[in-house]
């Protein structure tokens, strides 16, 4: 009937009406029509080779934009592959919605094509899940998952669309009414987005008093503050009070790493000696040593700012402020304005951190100044750092993935603008690289995207370089090629025994692999480099072109070491 639409069209129309602009995924039965219809309603669909990478893209998109990233998958195995992205969103608390087709409801339990109880499968990772059991439920289900992804602490949600529901039909007039009703019920009810705010301004006054009277205060800035767009409020807080700040890896750039009050290069001194720590948008998990000795003083008083009351109850800080990071800091700034204080450059605490930072930076720069060939990790990282800084503003988004590559990059690469660093995050997830690159290129079209990847991390999603070329995204992927996980064959003679002793080591890959040739197969630009001049030339050319490229940097296979948790020696 000309005046009716099916479930695919209704779902696509609902997504567009509710503000969805981009979608990532892999099409197939029964969701191909949903993807094509979404495009016809103005949604840009980025088609991947693997749902895992598409899911990582959707999760990072949610972080970068503050809007739920949308992942579309087929049923069964497609849904299972998509769980990688959904779980990544859950761990990092980023808004995302996974939409999967599912089998015909009448065939459920009979062994239908790609049949799976997907609502149950996503349960550990989904804040809220909805299944449309008939076409008229689609708009409300779409609205609910989009809203829940943002409500309170952000996270992943799931929408199940059975095949039979996608083929059902409603009239155009009823479709419009259903969409309008869903919008009114969900988005205009006063329940949407982050309505949790400071409930007791007395707590803010207490927080200000603790900071004012502290001998060695510290402000810790996490990626939750970056998600909340708190950079202006944080800059005012830091520069008004003179309190040193320490960003977590993805909190880097909210204030420039080059700021005089940055304590990154004196991390051990800062967290080991502070007496009051204001932690904004960061959890006291493994990344911050759980807030416990011996890394932290046993007497430190934590002021924890988090959108989640449950998080504060879990960590049991000296003082907890429940609310959006930007809002809390703005209120705190007003409180401090009424009774201002500033530590000053000559304050013993500020001076101690400044001196330690200066000394550690000088030691690092002395190491970085050496041109080591065959390359170690430091020489190419310094050249890459300088090339990225040379781009100016808007600064490139840096995607960092790997073991040694990410660890060294965290210390060497400099972030000067908010939300310009994406890495393995809270979960330490490997395989996020190309998905994150694509998300960043789509979400931040004015920025160059530069991935600095280990060869192992790159391998998880390397085929997505074809996606870069297909959509002509401004992404330069730099692969640190040291022949394996942590490096090549590191086995001792005692470990090389047994009937398979002549097999490659579990950590080793093909030496000097031609990763640059992979993108050339699809029409992109590839470079292989082994000297400083070759690397500088490749970076200059690829950054200027702003076209898909892979730079294969050959590293000494014995330059790295086994790594995992954050290692800080400063």
């Amino acid at each position: 009937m000309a005046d009716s639409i099916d479930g695919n069209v209704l779902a696509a129309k609902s997504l567009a009406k509710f503000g969805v602009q981009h979608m990532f995924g892999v099409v197939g039965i029964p969701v191909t029509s949903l993807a094509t219809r979404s495009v016809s309603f103005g949604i840009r669909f980025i088609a991947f080779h693997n749902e895992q990478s598409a899911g990582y893209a959707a999760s990072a998109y949610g972080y970068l934009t503050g809007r739920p990233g949308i992942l579309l998958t087929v049923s069964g195995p497609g849904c299972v592959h998509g769980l990688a992205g959904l779980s990544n969103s859950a761990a990092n608390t980023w808004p995302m919605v996974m939409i999967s087709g599912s089998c015909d409801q009448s065939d459920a339990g009979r062994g239908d094509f790609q049949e799976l109880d997907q609502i149950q499968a996503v349960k550990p990772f989904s804040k809220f899940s909805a299944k449309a059991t008939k076409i008229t439920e689609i708009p409300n289900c779409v609205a609910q998952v989009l809203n829940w992804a943002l409500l309170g602490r952000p996270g992943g949600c799931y929408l199940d669309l059975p095949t039979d529901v996608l083929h059902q039909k409603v009239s155009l007039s009823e479709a419009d009414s259903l969409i309008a009703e869903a919008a009114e019920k969900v988005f205009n009810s006063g329940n949407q987005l982050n309505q949790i705010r400071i409930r007791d301004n007395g707590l803010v006054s207490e927080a200000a008093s603790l900071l004012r009277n502290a001998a060695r205060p510290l402000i810790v800035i996490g990626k939750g503050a970056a998600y909340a767009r708190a950079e202006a409020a944080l800059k005012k807080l830091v520069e008004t009070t003179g309190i040193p700040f320490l960003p977590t890896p993805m909190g880097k750039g909210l204030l420039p790493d080059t700021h005089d009050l940055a304590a990154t290069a004196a991390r051990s001194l800062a967290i080991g000696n502070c007496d009051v720590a204001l932690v904004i948008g960061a959890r006291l998990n493994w990344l911050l040593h759980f807030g416990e000795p011996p890394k932290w003083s046993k007497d430190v008083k934590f002021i924890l700012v988090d959108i989640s009351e449950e998080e504060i109850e879990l960590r049991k800080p000296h003082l907890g402020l429940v609310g959006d990071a930007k809002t809390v800091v703005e209120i705190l700034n007003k409180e401090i304005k009424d009774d201002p204080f500033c530590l000053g450059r000559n304050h013993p605490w500020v001076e101690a951190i400044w001196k330690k930072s200066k000394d550690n930076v000088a030691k690092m720069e002395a190491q970085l100044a050496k041109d080591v060939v065959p390359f170690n990790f430091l020489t190419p990282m310094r050249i890459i750092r300088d090339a990225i800084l040379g781009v100016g503003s808007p600064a490139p988004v840096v995607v960092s993935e790997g073991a040694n590559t990410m660890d060294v990059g965290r210390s060497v690469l400099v972030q000067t603008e908010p939300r310009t660093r994406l890495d393995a995050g809270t979960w330490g997830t490997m395989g996020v690289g190309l998905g994150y690159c694509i998300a960043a290129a789509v979400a931040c079209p004015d920025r160059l995207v530069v991935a600095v990847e280990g060869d192992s991390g790159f391998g998880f999603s390397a085929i997505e370089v074809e996606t870069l070329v297909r959509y002509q995204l401004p992404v330069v992927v730099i692969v640190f090629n040291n022949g394996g996980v942590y490096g090549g064959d590191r086995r001792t003679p005692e470990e090389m025994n047994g009937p398979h002793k002549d097999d490659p080591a579990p950590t080793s890959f093909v030496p000097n692999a031609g990763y640059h040739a992979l993108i050339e197969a699809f029409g992109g630009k590839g470079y292989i480099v082994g000297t400083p001049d070759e690397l500088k030339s490749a970076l200059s050319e690829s950054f200027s072109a702003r076209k898909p490229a892979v730079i294969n940097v050959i590293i000494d296979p014995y330059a790295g070491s086994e790594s995992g948790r954050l290692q800080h020696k400063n």
Side-chain angles (χ1 to χ4, degrees), residues 372-447:
V372 178
V373 180
F375 278 149
N376 58 10
F377 282 86
L378 292 175
T379 296
M381 200 69 76
R382 180 205 79 219
I383 295 168
I384 293 164
R385 177 197 66 184
D386 293 346
I388 290 172
L389 289 172
V391 174
S393 186
V397 175
V398 174
V399 177
S400 186
E401 176 182 31
N404 292 280
T405 306
M406 186 171 67
D407 289 346
V408 174
R410 184 171 52 247
S411 298
V412 175
L413 301 178
V414 176
Q415 312 304 137
T416 58
E417 296 179 10
R419 293 168 296 281
T420 55
R421 178 181 170 86
L422 296 169
D423 62 25
T426 303
W427 229 15
T429 311
M430 292 295 109
V432 296
L434 270 293
Y436 280 11
C437 287
I438 292 165
V442 169
C444 312
D446 59 330
R447 296 185 188 271

Side-chain angles (χ1 to χ4, degrees), residues 111-175:
D112 195 22
F113 175 68
Q114 294 188 335
E115 181 184 343
L116 175 68
D117 183 348
Q118 292 165 194
I119 295 289
Q120 189 64 30
V122 305
K123 193 173 181 179
F125 311 113
S126 176
K127 282 180 65 182
F128 176 83
S129 299
K131 182 173 184 173
T133 60
K134 54 186 177 182
I135 189 172
T136 54
E137 296 175 356
I138 288 177
N140 187 62
C141 287
V142 170
Q144 290 277 11
V145 293
L146 290 173
N147 186 54
W148 270 96
L150 293 167
L151 190 65
R153 169 178 278 182
C157 293
Y158 174 69
L159 174 58
D160 193 282
L161 296 176
T163 300
D164 54 308
V165 173
L166 290 172
H167 292 158
Q168 292 171 9
K169 293 191 174 183
V170 294
S171 68
L172 279 169
S173 59
E174 185 178 3

Side-chain angles (χ1 to χ4, degrees), residues 75-277:
S75 51
C79 175
V80 170
H81 293 166
L83 290 178
L86 195 67
S87 58
N88 194 59
S89 279
N92 287 287
T93 70
W94 295 341
M96 172 185 164
V97 172
M98 181 166 82
I99 303 173
S100 297
S102 58
C103 71
D104 191 302
Q105 294 176 96
S106 63
D107 292 327
R110 302 172 61 198
D112 195 22
F113 175 68
Q114 294 188 335
E115 181 184 343
L116 175 68
D117 183 348
Q118 292 165 194
I119 295 289
Q120 189 64 30
V122 305
K123 193 173 181 179
F125 311 113
S126 176
K127 282 180 65 182
F128 176 83
S129 299
K131 182 173 184 173
T133 60
K134 54 186 177 182
I135 189 172
T136 54
E137 296 175 356
I138 288 177
N140 187 62
C141 287
V142 170
Q144 290 277 11
V145 293
L146 290 173
N147 186 54
W148 270 96
L150 293 167
L151 190 65
R153 169 178 278 182
C157 293
Y158 174 69
L159 174 58
D160 193 282
L161 296 176
T163 300
D164 54 308
V165 173
L166 290 172
H167 292 158
Q168 292 171 9
K169 293 191 174 183
V170 294
S171 68
L172 279 169
S173 59
E174 185 178 3
D176 289 339
S177 295
L178 290 167
I179 292 172
E181 289 170 9
E184 179 65 27
K185 178 180 178 182
V186 177
F187 298 118
N188 299 327
S189 64
N191 294 323
Q192 78 278 18
L193 303 181
N194 290 323
Q195 295 298 324
I196 301 174
R197 293 293 182 255
I198 290 295
R199 299 167 186 165
D200 181 358
N201 280 356
L203 295 177
V204 178
S205 178
E206 186 179 348
S209 179
L210 282 167
L211 292 171
R212 183 180 292 108
N213 295 312
R216 299 176 302 280
L218 179 69
I219 297 173
V220 178
I221 303 170
K223 66 178 181 294
Y227 174 82
R229 272 58 180 173
E231 52 266 23
L234 283 167
K235 184 175 188 291
K236 183 177 180 180
L237 175 64
V238 167
E239 295 182 352
T240 298
T241 63
I243 297 175
F245 69 92
L246 176 71
T248 64
M250 283 181 58
K252 284 162 63 72
L254 275 166
L255 277 76
D257 287 346
T258 52
H259 196 286
D260 285 344
L261 290 168
T264 304
R267 186 180 192 272
S268 296
L269 173 68
I271 69 173
N273 292 276
C274 66
D275 58 351
V276 174

Side-chain angles (χ1 to χ4, degrees), residues 10 38 105 141 246 273 275 331 333-334 384 452 466 491:
L10 182 57
S38 295
Q105 294 176 96
C141 287
L246 176 71
N273 292 276
D275 58 351
I331 296 172
N333 281 332
K334 291 178 183 177
I384 293 164
V452 185
E466 187 276 336
R491 292 176 296 178

